[in-house]
Amino acid sequence: VHVVSPTYAQEVLLPNAPAVGRHGGEGLEQDLVVRAAQGDLFGILNGCEYAADAATPADSVLPDLRESRHELVTALKLQLAKWLGQGDQLRSSDYLASKTLEALGKRLSGEPKDCFLVTSVGRITDQKVGLLLSEAGVELDSGARMTLLDTLLVQLGERGFLILLGSGDKPLEARLVEHAARHDNLLFLRGYSETLAEHLYRSGDLFLMPSLFEPCGISQLLAMREGQPCLVHSVGGLNDTVTAHTGFVFDGDDLPGKAEAASAAFTAALQSRADEDGWSERRALAAANRFTWSAAAASYRENLYRLPLTPRT
């Protein structure tokens, strides 16, 4: 039996506990415990493609943030124009995004240190954004309850912007549109574009991925490949790929505890960004990580298929 990260191989041995935000074996945990005891359960981490310098990661060249952010703004304008031109009715999400983009473009035209840019790319599902949209006890003027996402955007304040790209569950999309309407530092891009995703991986200061569960995750690998530190929930493949040296990792005993820990980790990231040398080192360490398909393939051969490893000729 194969799952796509070592930590997830341990998580699936436990039963689900939704009340505390734990996603386990989804009813298969008893069978998986038996298979693990027999030595037949393996967690083999997925890989990521790297440029030709994969053998010498220390020599990796980090993207020039000023240049990549200029390219990002151009890509955002083109994609939003495309979405705005589709159909006979204007989507509120596109209207809000176009207004926020005006302010974002001005901020990104300056020095990178003057705008803390948080990025996030992923499907809009409970797995990916459920923790962000979990409600706290504080009631807003609108009558809605303050969420973790509200908290992070208030913490970010005028220091920067959060760009969130994704589509999926319509009710969750609608809730993100509501957040974009009440926070002028949130640019919610309701849809998907591979080109935009690539620009976001290259252009951000901090990649946000607080998944409730994550068998492996690929977005954090792509962000780190471009030298972008990640803020992640310590589950599944996120726990196996992001460390305190390459990003910010949080956990908690239940949903409120996880939300509080995520907020504290975000505060730590904002404070760390003020140290230019320290932040540059964190970016370099993130970019130097290597999670290669060749390493995954070797593990498949040895563990999953029990084939001997033969040297290349």
Side-chain angles (χ1 to χ4, degrees), residues 157-311:
E158 296 182 354
R159 284 182 279 192
F161 288 81
L162 165 58
I163 304 178
L164 195 160
L165 170 67
S167 62
D169 185 271
K170 299 304 179 184
L172 294 178
E173 288 182 0
R175 291 192 63 192
L176 290 172
V177 174
E178 292 172 0
H179 282 72
R182 62 177 180 254
H183 295 282
D184 57 10
N185 59 350
L186 170 61
L187 175 59
F188 172 42
L189 302 165
R190 191 177 188 179
Y192 186 71
S193 161
E194 190 70 24
T195 299
L196 276 187
E198 292 173 358
H199 281 294
L200 290 173
Y201 293 134
R202 291 179 59 85
S203 303
D205 286 297
L206 182 71
F207 190 81
L208 184 62
M209 197 168 176
S211 306
L212 286 170
F213 66 97
E214 195 64 67
C216 176
I218 195 71
S219 291
Q220 85 279 14
L221 301 183
L222 298 176
M224 286 194 294
R225 184 181 68 183
E226 303 299 335
Q228 184 172 186
C230 300
L231 191 156
V232 302
H233 184 194
S234 63
V235 292
L238 300 177
N239 184 61
D240 294 321
T241 55
V242 182
T243 70
H245 300 293
T246 60
F248 302 85
V249 184
F250 69 88
D251 200 3
D253 294 330
D254 52 24
L255 283 173
K258 292 176 188 297
E260 183 177 351
S263 176
F266 191 70
T267 298
L270 289 172
Q271 293 172 342
S272 297
R273 181 63 182 87
D275 177 5
E276 287 287 338
D277 292 338
W279 195 263
S280 294
E281 181 180 357
R282 191 183 295 270
R283 289 185 68 207
L285 289 172
N289 265 322
R290 287 294 181 268
F291 304 98
T292 64
W293 281 115
S294 59
S299 189
Y300 272 90
R301 288 180 61 89
E302 181 180 4
N303 297 310
L304 204 60
Y305 300 117
R306 312 285 167 81
L307 297 173
L309 293 177
T310 55

Side-chain angles (χ1 to χ4, degrees), residues 42-57:
F42 295 95
I44 302 174
L45 194 68
N46 278 342
C48 179
E49 294 183 356
Y50 295 91
D53 67 348
T56 56

Side-chain angles (χ1 to χ4, degrees), residues 14 17 37 52 82 135 153 173 208 227 229 243 292 296 313:
L14 302 172
K82 180 179 179 180
E135 296 180 346
L153 291 166
E173 288 182 0
L208 184 62
T243 70
T292 64
T313 58

